[in-house]
Amino acid sequence: MGVGDTGGNDTKSMHEHIDAHLELLYDDDPATRAEGVAGVARFAAEAKNLATLAAHETLPQTLARVLREDGRRSADIATNVMAVFFALSNASAFHGLILGNQVGDATLRVVDLELRRAAERRKTQKYAATVARSSLSLGHDVSSDDDDIDAFEARRVVKSEKKRDALLYVAFYLLLNVAEDVAVERKMKKRDVVRYLMECVGTRGDVDLLVLCVTFLRKLSVRRENVEEMLRGGVLDGERSGERSDSVGTSGEKTQNEQNEPEPFRDDVVARVARFLADGVPD
């Protein structure tokens, strides 16, 4: 068999592989769609396959539709779809394909929803911690069964947060790549990408994600309005402002407890990045 024949068979095999997984994306069962997306993501992990993926007649459009429809319901589907487009985004030649299918818009919507969900989870965890402390202060016994449940829940939370970090990582990396176009970067600015990055720097703990967010912020910092927003700070969920408002009396004066407390933690980019440095506690 000649070299030309082998290449033709390889190309046919790749198209058959793609079509087999593409068919799964139209299934009514979310688990089946997730399986199909995961298969395409594995295929996209090899750079030699990217041109075939990009040239497919319907795959990019179908993946973009799945991201819009299922991305906010399934972290696994969202991560794998964005992983495919992230692989494509490493080549500038594919940026038009990505933007033409409104993948950037869908990705920002997923990021916004995920960060808001994370804020709600933090509030719930604070409430749970308060209840636990109250139970101990009242002398309630904590059984071994409760310990087992707490350990299981802790493992579940850690696993879930790692999955969420992976989602945010691939989302921001995809956005960073397509933001090489200044016009695209400006659109992201209007869609609050600076605020999303700041939120991650202030609340997430994954090192790779944090390095990526700081890298993205550094790129955005060449524009004055972005720097001003970074210095203004602020949080997505308003937790800090809510906590501060609770300690002010009806007359607007500070309570005695508030007067004795240290100044509130600054929310600007300098304070958020400083926590990664040795002894990086703001004065």
Side-chain angles (χ1 to χ4, degrees):
M1 181 178 293
V3 175
D5 294 336
T6 302
N9 289 337
D10 285 346
T11 301
K12 181 179 179 181
S13 176
M14 283 193 289
H15 279 288
E16 290 175 349
H17 177 89
I18 293 173
D19 289 340
H21 286 89
L22 177 62
E23 186 176 347
L24 299 180
L25 302 184
Y26 294 97
D27 196 282
D28 292 333
D29 181 18
T32 302
R33 293 198 298 275
E35 179 185 347
V37 172
V40 178
R42 288 192 296 271
F43 191 71
E46 298 187 40
K48 65 180 182 180
N49 297 330
L50 294 180
T52 303
L53 285 172
H56 194 277
E57 185 177 1
T58 59
L59 181 63
Q61 299 92 320
T62 303
L63 285 174
R65 175 185 59 78
V66 170
L67 180 60
R68 288 191 296 271
E69 295 178 358
D70 291 343
R72 287 179 286 178
R73 292 193 291 264
S74 169
D76 289 331
I77 288 179
T79 302
N80 280 321
V81 172
M82 289 187 294
V84 175
F85 285 111
F86 162 66
L88 291 168
S89 74
N90 286 303
S92 299
F94 298 135
H95 287 187
L97 175 69
I98 295 169
L99 298 171
N101 285 290
Q102 300 181 319
V103 174
D105 171 78
T107 299
L108 283 167
R109 291 179 185 276
V110 170
V111 168
D112 178 82
L113 182 62
E114 175 50 38
L115 291 179
R116 293 186 184 280
R117 284 173 172 170
E120 290 300 317
R121 289 196 297 272
R122 289 196 297 276
K123 290 179 182 178
T124 302
Q125 289 165 4
K126 288 180 182 178
Y127 174 77
T130 300
V131 171
R133 286 195 299 269
S134 299
S135 297
L136 290 174
S137 66
L138 293 172
H140 294 170
D141 292 333
V142 179
S143 68
S144 58
D145 289 340
D146 290 333
D147 289 340
D148 291 339
I149 293 172
D150 289 343
F152 173 81
E153 179 65 14
R155 289 193 297 271
R156 188 193 66 80
V157 169
V158 169
K159 183 178 180 180
S160 175
E161 288 304 304
K162 286 183 178 180
K163 181 181 294 187
R164 305 295 177 177
D165 285 339
L167 182 153
L168 292 168
Y169 181 85
V170 71
F172 282 128
Y173 218 146
L174 165 60
L175 294 171
L176 175 61
N177 283 347
V178 297
E180 69 176 21
D181 185 326
V182 175
V184 174
E185 180 185 306
R186 287 173 177 166
K187 290 181 180 179
M188 290 184 190
K189 164 63 170 61
K190 293 179 181 179
R191 294 285 299 277
D192 286 335
V193 70
V194 174
R195 189 161 58 105
Y196 297 149
L197 292 165
M198 288 277 289
E199 176 75 0
C200 281
V201 172
T203 61
R204 311 304 295 186
D206 182 79
V207 174
D208 290 335
L209 174 60
L210 294 171
V211 170
L212 175 62
C213 289
V214 172
T215 300
F216 205 157
L217 286 169
R218 184 178 64 180
K219 178 185 186 303
L220 295 169
S221 67
V222 300
R223 302 185 63 83
R224 180 187 297 272
E225 61 266 31
N226 292 338
V227 174
E228 291 173 351
E229 183 171 354
M230 293 176 202
L231 292 176
R232 282 196 301 269
V235 289
L236 189 70
D237 56 12
E239 286 177 323
R240 296 192 192 282
S241 60
E243 290 169 0
R244 286 197 289 269
S245 62
D246 290 342
S247 61
V248 179
T250 55
S251 63
E253 297 179 355
K254 292 184 177 181
T255 64
Q256 183 64 38
N257 289 338
E258 186 181 11
Q259 292 174 359
N260 295 333
E261 291 178 354
E263 287 297 314
F265 181 78
R266 290 161 47 221
D267 287 325
D268 60 71
V269 68
V270 177
R272 289 178 179 237
V273 174
R275 74 188 183 98
F276 308 128
L277 306 177
D279 300 324
V281 179
D283 295 329

